[in-house]
Amino acid sequence: MDADVKDTNASEFNENKVIDKNTNEKTRLVEPINVRNAYETSKYENARNNFNIFILVCITGVVMAVLMRRMINSENINDKYAERAIKKRYWVYSAQNDVNNPDGLLKHVHRVLKRIGYEKTTNESDWNLLWSHDYPFRVLYPNLHSLKPNQKVNHYPGAGFVTNKVDLATTESKYIPKAFKLPQNKEDFFKYAAENEGALFLEKHNQHRGVYLKNVSEINLAGGESFVQEYVQKPFLVDGHKFDIGVYVVLTSVNPLRAYWYKGDVLFRYCPAKYYPFDPKDLDKYVIRDDYLPTWEVPSLSHPYTALGFSMRDAFDIYAKTKGKDPTKMWREIQNAIAEVFVKKEHHIVETLKSYPSTENFFELMRFDLVVDEDLKVYLLEANMSPNLSSAHYPPNQLLYEQVLYNLFGLVGIADHIQENSLGDSAAQNMVSSQKNIAVWGEICTTTCRDNCHMNLICELCRPCLSARLRSVFLKAHKEFLHKGDFRRLFPPPMKANATLKEEDLKHLNKPNRLQYLWYQGKCNVDITWCT
């Protein structure tokens, strides 16, 4: 082993031209040479290591720079998408300043809109929704005359023909107690009173809420802007209390007409004083006012509503059944009464809409107030524009109001999950509602209507015959069906699958409504969930 070391060292020595015949001297000389070589080697290795470290640092720096750049770009992209997704804006309008207070009159409107990603703004911004507590079309006409496709307004031009007290009360309907404008129709009033002895009448005014029960001789016939309406005697009572029923209704389309009612719950309001012994001077016995008796304070309803967690509607139904009544027919008649009003008033709204370039920007939330007599016969009294949605007086009503609003915003497309920048993207729209979703009456369209679009009304619903406007109408109707939540269709009315339709059954409807009725019937025939 030592020889091997010597030979190697000798070779290195000779290469460095160190000559010495003394072996011991050679050995001594070998040591500094090895040290120098080790130093040179170490110096080389250090340089190489330093270079490797430099390369590694450079590579690391480049990688980190690329990653940082990607992160920054990703954040910018996310910010852009977030801005597009979140920046939906609404503003409110009313003569009352309180509507802008987040804890005021429209507290629940503000809260629900915030929860679904809207931020409050002003009319000067690029807004998506106007929520107006007052009828906005007189004061804001210049703003609302040329709306963009993505802008919605919570009122319909002309809906006042439904919500105006006199106009509604004097509508001919078996569901509306007889009413007369005064003094214009006093002769008709006298004649009706003479033919209906024992009838009592409520004297009302269109501009305020006061009502007074009077006999014919007590009524002021020259008061101006007043009307009288027959009073529904012998009302159905709960624990001795008279009540009214407030049903929330949404109008989403006219010509053709579509309206929905909120079945999740209804607002029951009870008179604070028991009805008997009756005294017309005590309004608390028969007039619903702000300080009404709520469901949870009515003894027979408190347990099912509070302890068992039923809705106001369910609590009433339970009570009615204990009294031998079946409320099923009552609810069906309530739907019929409200739908009939819309059918009778639709032409007024259509006429008013002629002053606006588009009819697609509007919807209307109303509350219809009804009463029932001791046989649960239904009478429609009022339709309220901008119904009260404040739970300040009755905090438990918060749930009802916020559920109504949440379901409303889904139904009319305000809580739309498609980003606004995709509204013009046909592929994005088709993934929600497309031609295959609105195709109906397949057997007839492939035979009877194959070569003739005018053979009958159903033929006009087949794809080759379908007008662009009707296609748009049905695509919107399909979206409403998908997002209706706890709303159910009032009009077109409920249908039966494969029902036999006669022309006279639809003759009271205009042509757009007849076509829409047949379209819903076609959908009902293949899917029973479309029947109601």
Side-chain angles (χ1 to χ4, degrees), residues 163-452:
T163 58
N164 180 276
K165 291 182 181 181
V166 178
D167 284 340
L168 180 62
T170 54
T171 301
E172 287 294 329
S173 169
K174 68 178 182 179
Y175 299 108
I176 299 176
K178 195 68 176 178
F180 303 89
K181 295 180 182 179
L182 296 177
Q184 298 97 311
N185 304 121
K186 65 179 182 181
E187 297 302 327
D188 293 333
F189 168 55
F190 286 143
K191 180 180 178 182
Y192 181 84
E195 294 172 350
N196 295 270
E197 293 184 9
L200 295 174
F201 296 87
L202 288 167
E203 185 177 7
K204 301 182 179 182
H205 293 266
N206 199 40
Q207 301 303 320
H208 59 79
R209 300 174 60 186
V211 294
Y212 307 95
L213 186 60
K214 299 179 179 180
N215 58 41
V216 176
S217 62
E218 297 173 316
I219 292 173
N220 180 7
L221 299 175
E225 294 191 11
S226 68
F227 65 102
V228 292
Q229 187 167 32
E230 186 172 6
Y231 176 69
V232 178
Q233 302 185 53
K234 298 182 179 180
F236 185 79
L237 305 176
V238 176
D239 289 345
H241 297 272
K242 184 188 173 184
F243 59 91
D244 71 0
I245 306 169
V247 179
Y248 292 93
V249 175
V250 179
L251 178 66
T252 63
S253 175
V254 293
N255 202 33
L257 173 69
R258 284 195 307 278
Y260 300 81
W261 73 290
Y262 182 69
K263 75 168 188 65
D265 204 356
V266 298
L267 181 66
F268 276 82
R269 303 180 302 174
Y270 296 84
C271 292
K274 290 191 175 184
Y275 192 74
Y276 295 113
F278 187 71
D279 180 2
K281 295 181 180 179
D282 187 353
L283 296 182
D284 283 341
K285 288 180 174 288
Y286 64 97
V287 177
I288 304 296
R289 296 190 284 186
D290 291 338
D291 292 320
Y292 62 84
L293 187 69
T295 289
W296 51 91
E297 293 183 11
V298 179
S300 293
L301 306 180
S302 177
H303 181 70
Y305 179 81
T306 304
L308 301 181
F310 284 101
S311 67
M312 286 183 266
R313 173 186 172 181
D314 291 337
F316 171 81
D317 286 356
I318 293 169
Y319 177 85
K321 290 175 182 177
T322 66
K323 299 301 178 181
K325 304 294 183 181
D326 182 5
T328 304
K329 181 181 178 182
M330 181 193 82
W331 291 114
R332 186 167 60 249
E333 291 297 290
I334 285 175
Q335 295 175 60
N336 292 341
I338 299 172
E340 183 188 70
V341 168
F342 282 120
V343 172
K344 289 177 176 291
K345 301 294 185 179
E346 182 192 17
H347 69 282
H348 292 297
I349 302 175
V350 172
E351 191 64 28
T352 306
L353 278 168
K354 289 181 179 179
S355 299
Y356 295 83
S358 174
T359 65
E360 300 299 313
N361 302 95
F362 311 106
F363 65 94
E364 185 91 30
L365 174 66
M366 309 175 184
R367 192 190 72 225
F368 282 76
D369 294 339
L370 308 99
V371 296
V372 293
D373 68 12
E374 59 188 0
D375 297 319
L376 297 188
K377 184 178 179 180
V378 171
Y379 297 90
L380 175 58
L381 300 183
E382 288 187 0
N384 297 275
M385 182 191 75
S386 295
N388 176 37
L389 295 172
S390 171
S391 65
H393 201 49
Y394 296 102
N397 283 343
Q398 172 181 342
L399 177 63
L400 170 62
Y401 298 152
E402 293 189 354
Q403 286 189 332
V404 167
L405 288 167
Y406 175 73
N407 284 269
L408 165 70
F409 294 148
L411 175 68
V412 300
I414 289 171
D416 199 336
H417 294 291
I418 294 182
Q419 301 300 328
E420 186 178 330
N421 62 314
S422 299
L423 291 177
D425 182 354
S426 59
Q429 295 299 314
N430 284 339
M431 73 182 183
V432 181
S433 298
S434 67
Q435 174 61 44
K436 72 180 183 64
N437 300 117
I438 63 172
V440 291
W441 298 102
E443 184 177 349
I444 295 177
C445 287
T446 56
T447 55
T448 305
C449 308
R450 186 179 183 90
D451 299 315
N452 190 346

Side-chain angles (χ1 to χ4, degrees), residues 120-136:
K120 188 175 176 298
T121 185
T122 65
N123 186 28
E124 283 71 33
S125 69
D126 187 14
W127 53 271
N128 304 89
L129 169 66
L130 163 62
W131 187 275
S132 178
H133 189 66
D134 300 328
Y135 189 75

